[in-house]
Amino acid sequence: MAQFGSDVESDLQLLDIKTKQLRNEYEQYFLGTRPREPHLLRGEVQKMVTYFTNVSISNTAQRFRFNSLQARFFSLRRHWDNTLRKIEDGTYQRQVFKANLRRPSTASDAAAARQPDSDAKSNEPDLFANYLAARQRCGQNVERLDRARVDEMITKQREAIRARTGRTDVRFRVVVEDGRAKLKASLSE
């Protein structure tokens, strides 16, 4: 990082850009697309804010701009720290939602999760009920979903997979990916 104070206007512009970049990186971190918290960039922005806090800015417009940037950074920092605290406590809403999707919500869902799927037609009503429940938990539309349509789709998929692979041990299960409930086919091992 270059020496501060040579040109206050360009330093404030750089501070603004780095603050926006830091905000984007924290959002990516909280969404789960970034593996680690952006400590280095946060430290750079903190150093810039600390430097300009201790330096007298004579231009009123530049001083106002710095105060605005500083207030925005402090507000964002408080938000990030609160969110990190919620993540550590296990109360962060996005992670609680994902955890609830992975955990069976009712006794019948838990029994279906413990019971191995078979190729038999008798297990498909449970598959339909689990699929319907998963779609409801994910907030997907279930109004046009009926058992006959899902059974027909499963039968077509099963026959296509059997024709393609030559195997008869095709199983279906309900999975949630990217916040959407899906039916996945697999072959028994």
Side-chain angles (χ1 to χ4, degrees):
M1 189 179 298
Q3 183 66 25
F4 296 126
S6 58
D7 183 20
V8 176
E9 186 61 36
S10 65
D11 288 345
L12 291 178
Q13 191 172 15
L14 181 64
L15 178 61
D16 188 25
I17 290 169
K18 285 189 180 272
T19 304
K20 289 177 183 176
Q21 180 184 359
L22 184 61
R23 179 181 181 189
N24 289 337
E25 289 188 14
Y26 262 106
E27 286 301 315
Q28 290 173 359
Y29 173 69
F30 294 141
L31 288 172
T33 58
R34 182 182 170 88
R36 284 183 286 283
E37 185 180 351
H39 288 292
L40 292 176
L41 185 58
R42 183 173 176 168
E44 289 178 16
V45 172
Q46 182 66 47
K47 284 178 187 176
M48 292 176 81
V49 168
T50 302
Y51 174 79
F52 283 109
T53 301
N54 297 324
V55 170
S56 175
I57 302 174
S58 57
N59 186 328
T60 307
Q62 291 174 343
R63 187 173 44 231
F64 178 79
R65 184 165 182 214
F66 169 70
N67 288 336
S68 298
L69 290 171
Q70 181 184 29
R72 183 184 329 148
F73 175 67
F74 287 161
S75 174
L76 288 170
R77 191 176 66 179
R78 187 173 49 250
H79 170 68
W80 297 329
D81 290 343
N82 286 340
T83 304
L84 289 169
R85 193 174 308 112
K86 287 179 184 177
I87 289 173
E88 288 175 6
D89 294 342
T91 59
Y92 185 51
Q93 197 60 37
R94 289 178 180 162
Q95 290 185 339
V96 169
F97 175 75
K98 287 180 182 178
N100 288 339
L101 289 177
R102 291 186 193 107
R103 182 181 325 127
S105 62
T106 63
S108 64
D109 288 345
R114 285 190 303 268
Q115 176 184 359
D117 286 341
S118 69
D119 195 30
K121 198 82 165 157
S122 64
N123 214 14
E124 287 181 6
D126 293 332
L127 184 67
F128 175 76
N130 291 338
Y131 181 57
L132 185 66
R135 284 183 64 99
Q136 287 173 336
R137 283 194 306 264
C138 292
Q140 291 175 283
N141 187 6
V142 294
E143 293 174 9
R144 299 182 323 180
L145 200 63
D146 66 342
R147 187 177 305 273
R149 187 178 299 168
V150 172
D151 286 344
E152 180 182 337
M153 179 187 66
I154 290 172
T155 303
K156 284 181 182 179
Q157 281 293 101
R158 179 176 285 127
E159 294 306 317
I161 293 170
R162 285 179 178 168
R164 191 171 55 237
T165 62
R167 297 189 48 188
T168 60
D169 53 348
V170 180
R171 297 181 306 147
F172 284 88
R173 58 187 163 74
V174 178
V175 296
V176 176
E177 291 179 350
D178 301 325
R180 297 181 56 89
K182 299 177 182 179
L183 290 172
K184 289 271 185 155
S186 61
L187 300 172
S188 297
E189 301 278 328

